[in-house]
Amino acid sequence: MSAAVANIPSEQKTIVSDVQNTMENDLYNQASHNLQRAHAMTYESLRGVLRRMHERKDAGVLRICDLGSAGGVNSVTLMRFVLDELRQRLGEKRAISLAFEELPSSDFNTLIQAVTKYQDSLWAPNNVSTMFVARSFYEPLFLNNTLDLALTYITLHWMREAPGKELPNSAACNKSWTIAGETGMPRELYAAWKAASKEDLTTFLELRAQELKDNAEGLFVMVGGDEWFQWGYGTNLAESKKHGEEVNAEVVLPESIQNSSRALDLVPAENRSALKTSIFTAAIQRAVDRKEVSPSVLEKAYVPYFLRTKDDVIQALNAANDRSGASEGVLELVELKNSPVVIGAMGNETEDDDSAAELGWSIHSHAIQATSGASEKDMECIKKHYLEAHREHFHPQHGICIPFMYVVVRRIPRASSGSSTSTSAGEGSE
């Protein structure tokens, strides 16, 4: 079986600076089990989405995509859940086509191996075909009006093209930060990142609205929401404010995050010290202080993602609907939920368990190296200090508080006049 894929010229290049937005897939696969709680928070909603898809009874193959599949291990786990629900609980009989999307510069060998190893045990017995899409999800991926379900798990906070660490023609500013929203980031720069992030999400929603069938749904998970981010902002709001006083900087995060219970109540675990900056800034600063890497590494390093609030998501959805030109819009909000999730702390960690720390490194290290120009030797030094700092500030048995948010949207049926393009007879057929 073959799946429908948008016919885009091969010479078209993604806007994304690919290397910044890819991960160490092998290391990620080894440590990604720490994210299963974030997946689990969506399962009740996902069951509802799958039930509604099953009840639509559209003719033909069910087309489902997972966008931002990374190393593939968590994607396979997610798709196993999807298949169990469809085949075992709902009795779905239609053939299924699964598309796994990842950036062109990602390690596709790792992804393909992680998926195809289940060909005989999972895909074939469930009448599933698989395919891979090497393209950014900020571009068209599939033919219009062909997708039955679009999923993306813990990827949508990554930006297409982040504004960087200074604005054009702006005065010199503090560059001792790596995560957007971290204390030390200038307010006007935070506003620029916020605006770019809104545009990215608006574009993403516009594209998926074109590709989804009428009444089909998308469930999109990202890091973010109105909660505190310990990896990025420090132990809690009080520590972040202390750092602001030390460097003469204000806290730029929205009030909804500053007033969240976790921002106010989180404290260091037993025998752990408080963290005032992001864990990545702390690691690079240690390497700079010991003259192991150049100060320019910290001046240039950043991670190109932005943690949106719930209001940011609503604004982007409204913008996508406004720009569609359709009187009723193109996407209906079904659900929007956020929750703090403690990663790590699975109950079997030891004092020297670094799996959560390795997960953080696998996600962020490529971005830090690509934006800063750090050498391999520099990165070895930074990782050494990163692991040391992680052990000092976070306890494996207590975990790290990470905010996650997901949104469920439904494709509003197209006008009967057929103003939206759909596939012609036979196009994209099995």
Side-chain angles (χ1 to χ4, degrees):
M1 291 184 287
S2 61
V5 182
N7 182 20
I8 299 176
S10 59
E11 64 270 15
Q12 178 173 334
K13 288 184 170 53
T14 174
I15 299 174
V16 180
S17 178
D18 281 357
V19 176
Q20 296 179 18
N21 293 54
T22 58
M23 297 186 287
E24 290 189 29
N25 280 348
D26 286 335
L27 183 58
Y28 180 79
N29 279 349
Q30 295 169 25
S32 59
H33 63 276
N34 286 281
L35 294 174
Q36 285 305 309
R37 284 180 178 154
H39 282 229
M41 68 177 275
T42 72
Y43 283 170
E44 182 178 353
S45 297
L46 181 55
R47 286 190 178 100
V49 170
L50 294 172
R51 186 190 73 253
R52 293 188 291 272
M53 180 177 69
H54 170 69
E55 292 171 349
R56 284 198 298 274
K57 300 296 184 184
D58 295 335
V61 173
L62 287 176
R63 303 188 188 281
I64 300 172
C65 67
D66 177 52
L67 308 181
S69 298
V73 168
N74 279 357
S75 290
V76 171
T77 300
L78 174 64
M79 291 308 172
R80 189 186 296 276
F81 177 91
V82 167
L83 292 175
D84 284 347
E85 287 292 314
L86 289 174
R87 297 300 195 216
Q88 305 303 320
R89 294 181 54 136
L90 297 172
E92 176 59 58
K93 302 299 183 184
R94 285 169 287 184
I96 297 173
S97 174
L98 298 180
F100 298 88
E101 178 272 348
E102 187 49 70
L103 286 169
S105 62
S106 184
D107 181 1
F108 260 81
N109 286 335
T110 301
L111 172 59
I112 292 171
Q113 290 170 10
V115 172
T116 56
K117 69 182 290 187
Y118 295 98
Q119 176 59 33
D120 295 333
S121 61
L122 182 60
W123 313 131
N126 284 289
N127 193 15
V128 172
S129 64
T130 59
M131 62 171 291
F132 303 90
V133 181
R135 200 172 292 145
S136 164
F137 55 47
Y138 292 119
E139 301 172 14
L141 299 173
F142 307 97
L143 294 171
N144 287 358
N145 199 10
T146 59
L147 279 182
D148 294 280
L149 173 60
L151 301 171
T152 182
Y153 269 63
I154 321 181
T155 56
L156 201 45
H157 48 294
W158 290 94
M159 299 176 69
R160 177 169 43 172
E161 193 170 24
K165 300 192 83 165
E166 60 183 349
L167 296 173
N169 303 318
S170 64
C173 60
N174 183 1
K175 297 180 181 179
S176 297
W177 57 271
T178 54
I179 302 295
E182 179 180 354
T183 298
M185 184 182 197
R187 183 171 292 279
E188 65 174 2
L189 192 55
Y190 181 79
W193 279 61
K194 182 183 179 75
S197 176
K198 176 185 174 181
E199 179 61 27
D200 284 351
L201 183 56
T202 301
T203 297
F204 176 90
L205 293 171
E206 287 179 300
L207 292 169
R208 304 297 83 81
Q210 294 170 17
E211 297 162 350
L212 287 167
K213 294 179 180 178
D214 290 352
N215 293 309
E217 296 179 59
L219 192 159
F220 311 130
V221 186
M222 63 201 86
V223 180
D226 302 308
E227 295 288 351
W228 192 253
F229 179 37
Q230 284 194 307
W231 263 345
Y233 308 148
T235 299
N236 53 37
L237 178 61
E239 296 300 328
S240 187
K241 286 183 174 180
K242 287 180 184 177
H243 177 64
E245 294 171 357
E246 294 169 358
V247 299
N248 192 30
E250 60 179 331
V251 177
V252 297
L253 294 168
E255 291 295 324
S256 61
I257 296 177
Q258 294 192 44
N259 293 331
S260 66
S261 60
R262 296 301 179 100
L264 301 173
D265 297 342
L266 284 167
V267 296
E270 183 180 0
N271 299 322
R272 296 298 189 270
S273 59
L275 177 65
K276 297 180 181 179
T277 66
S278 81
I279 191 68
F280 313 103
T281 299
I284 301 172
Q285 186 66 63
R286 290 186 185 198
V288 171
D289 290 345
R290 289 161 177 76
K291 303 186 184 307
E292 295 172 345
V293 303
S294 167
S296 66
V297 172
L298 182 55
E299 292 172 1
K300 296 177 181 178
Y302 64 88
V303 180
Y305 63 53
F306 186 89
L307 274 56
R308 305 178 184 91
T309 63
K310 293 171 72 174
D311 186 61
D312 292 334
V313 174
I314 292 172
Q315 288 186 32
L317 178 59
N318 289 340
N321 282 326
D322 290 343
R323 292 194 330 205
S324 72
S327 59
E328 297 182 359
V330 288
L331 291 174
E332 174 190 2
L333 177 63
V334 177
E335 184 178 8
L336 176 60
K337 183 177 180 180
N338 73 181
S339 178
V341 174
V342 176
I343 68 167
M346 304 297 285
N348 56 356
E349 292 85 356
T350 61
E351 281 279 348
D352 58 353
D353 189 322
D354 283 332
S355 64
E358 293 286 9
L359 174 67
W361 185 257
S362 74
I363 293 170
H364 299 87
S365 60
H366 279 187
I368 289 170
Q369 184 170 19
T371 55
S372 69
S375 67
E376 291 296 330
K377 183 178 180 181
D378 290 338
M379 294 303 293
E380 290 175 5
C381 291
I382 294 169
K383 183 175 184 180
K384 176 187 68 175
H385 293 298
Y386 165 81
L387 292 174
E388 290 174 351
H390 211 281
R391 295 179 191 123
E392 290 173 14
H393 298 299
F394 300 118
H395 195 296
Q397 295 172 340
H398 289 255
I400 304 101
C401 183
I402 309 292
F404 291 94
M405 173 169 57
Y406 68 88
V407 59
V408 180
V409 294
R410 181 183 70 89
R411 184 37 161 111
I412 296 172
R414 294 161 174 82
S416 58
S417 62
S419 59
S420 294
T421 303
S422 61
T423 56
S424 59
E427 192 173 16
S429 60
E430 298 302 297

